[in-house]
Amino acid sequence: MSGTVRNQMGVGTALTPRQSGAYIAEHSVDVKISETGCHNAAKKILSSLKQHGYSTANWREFALHPSPQDDNTPDHIFVIDLLNFSFWSESQDMVSKFQVKYKNEIYTGYWSLCAALTRALDEGIPITDPAYYCSVTLDKLKYVFRSESKVEIPLIQQRLDNLHEVGVVLNSEFGGTFKNVIRKSEKSAEKLIELVTSKFPCFNDVAMYKSTDVSFHKRAQILVADLWACYDGLGQ
């Protein structure tokens, strides 16, 4: 499911992502999930975490990720994950990919998104401020995501729609900042996902599978994980 899938049935009518995974695995015909393989993968992940092969510190090692010391970081992370979809290219060569140049480095894929947002902030464009992006124009957004190659960022109109949608809600219901959404979640990851998917339809990835509404909520879950990693899981 893409980041632009809209749920027309309302939040609460679909199975949760966990329930959806179990339902799809049970009813799928062409694809089967290996329970043994899942257990083995989980053991490897847990072992890696215990050995500090990967930890929350890894997230903060990347210069294009915002710093936890910055008061605006929650809003910055929110915009990253709001727009974190569809960077695919049919070709693997660099010329055929959307590219962003920032501080003499060329970035593609997810990092092109991060680079474009950071570049805009450096240029004085408040692209992570709901007061700005709730009414940002298509031309201004195209400038923010200007490409170093001839390939422009995919789905620019859908990204603009997402920004307008969430910007209006943040300004009207949450005092113009995603930080107030986090506060309302009362340090519950599950509640934060529920708030994000119910208040911002563009995060509510839902589809019909075998007459049952199933949910994915990919970016909503990534959003919670990014916040957790940024602040080292301390619940600040």
Side-chain angles (χ1 to χ4, degrees), residues 15 41 81 83 89 160 162 205:
L15 298 178
D81 291 321
L83 304 178
S89 173
L160 181 71
N162 282 8
D205 305 320

Side-chain angles (χ1 to χ4, degrees), residues 46-151:
L46 180 60
S47 175
S48 178
L49 288 172
K50 287 182 176 179
Q51 295 173 18
H52 301 289
Y54 180 85
S55 70
T56 55
N58 293 89
W59 193 93
R60 299 189 300 281
E61 290 174 357
F62 296 102
L64 291 176
H65 279 158
S67 167
Q69 279 73 45
D70 189 332
D71 188 55
N72 294 319
T73 285
D75 284 294
H76 191 154
I77 292 175
F78 180 64
V79 172
I80 289 176
D81 291 321
L82 171 67
L83 304 178
N84 184 11
F85 58 86
S86 301
F87 301 103
W88 304 303
S89 173
E90 294 182 359
S91 175
Q92 292 302 309
D93 65 275
M94 287 291 290
V95 179
S96 302
K97 293 183 177 182
F98 168 63
Q99 303 176 20
V100 170
K101 186 176 183 179
Y102 176 66
K103 291 187 176 180
N104 295 319
E105 295 285 341
I106 298 294
Y107 298 92
T108 61
Y110 166 77
W111 295 113
S112 66
L113 166 65
C114 296
L117 295 176
T118 303
R119 180 179 64 185
L121 292 171
D122 286 355
E123 294 173 346
I125 302 172
I127 191 60
T128 60
D129 183 350
Y132 174 81
Y133 64 69
C134 72
S135 59
V136 66
T137 65
L138 181 59
D139 285 342
K140 288 180 179 178
L141 193 62
K142 284 182 176 180
Y143 177 78
V144 168
F145 288 108
R146 63 192 183 276
S147 180
E148 194 68 16
S149 69
K150 293 182 179 180
V151 181

